């Protein structure tokens, strides 16, 4: 069982930056692809970004490409999400997820964190 704990969410203004962290337990962290998903009020959960187990391959949704950056530090069992130029439409609960597969499909992810709320005001 892998435990994931997100942190770093909060209230910011449009144009600001924020960095989210996801701390993972277990000795097999380096074997998992990691992803960030988000869910806004009244909407379905959507893919934001993902990274391969070694960190060599990254994926981004078109809505965040050029503004968000995902990275991981396997020595620290941690994955990060750097968010720049935040927009009100980025407001959502952000979830960290781990998967043995690298499809970046929500249904293929094996473990999920509880989420952290990001609110971006106009």
């Amino acid at each position: 069982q892998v435990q994931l704990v997100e942190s770093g969410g909060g209230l910011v203004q449009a144009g600001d930056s924020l960095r989210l962290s996801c701390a993972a337990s277990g000795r097999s962290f380096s074997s998992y692809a990691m992803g960030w998903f988000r869910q806004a009020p009244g909407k379905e959960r959507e893919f934001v970004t993902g990274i391969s187990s070694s960190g060599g391959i990254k994926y981004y949704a078109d809505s965040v490409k050029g503004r968000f950056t995902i990275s991981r530090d396997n020595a620290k069992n941690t994955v990060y999400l750097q968010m720049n130029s935040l927009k009100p439409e980025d407001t959502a609960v952000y979830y960290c997820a781990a998967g043995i597969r690298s499809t970046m499909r929500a249904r293929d992810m094996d473990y999920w964190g509880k989420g952290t709320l990001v609110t971006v005001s106009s």
Side-chain angles (χ1 to χ4, degrees):
Q1 194 72 215
V2 175
Q3 300 249 29
L4 303 174
V5 181
E6 304 96 334
S7 63
L11 174 63
V12 298
Q13 296 181 353
D16 284 353
S17 296
L18 203 60
R19 189 179 80 158
L20 306 184
S21 297
C22 174
S25 67
R27 62 183 181 274
S28 300
F29 175 76
S30 62
S31 298
Y32 290 90
M34 302 294 297
W36 288 95
F37 297 77
R38 68 187 182 187
Q39 187 166 23
K43 297 184 178 180
E44 295 182 350
R45 181 166 49 189
E46 66 174 353
F47 167 78
V48 177
T49 181
I51 188 168
S52 61
S53 59
S54 66
I57 305 174
K58 299 176 181 180
Y59 316 81
Y60 295 97
D62 289 342
S63 59
V64 305
K65 194 172 299 181
R67 299 189 298 119
F68 290 11
T69 303
I70 189 172
S71 62
R72 68 189 295 162
D73 186 338
N74 286 347
K76 296 181 178 179
N77 279 16
T78 303
V79 62
Y80 305 95
L81 177 60
Q82 179 66 46
M83 304 184 292
N84 298 328
S85 302
L86 283 163
K87 305 174 180 179
E89 49 263 47
D90 294 319
T91 296
V93 175
Y94 283 71
Y95 297 92
C96 176
I100 194 67
R101 294 170 290 278
S102 300
T103 65
M104 293 296 109
R105 295 181 299 184
R107 61 178 177 270
D108 286 336
M109 307 308 289
D110 300 302
Y111 303 99
W112 293 85
K114 300 295 184 181
T116 185
L117 177 63
V118 173
T119 302
V120 184
S121 64
S122 300

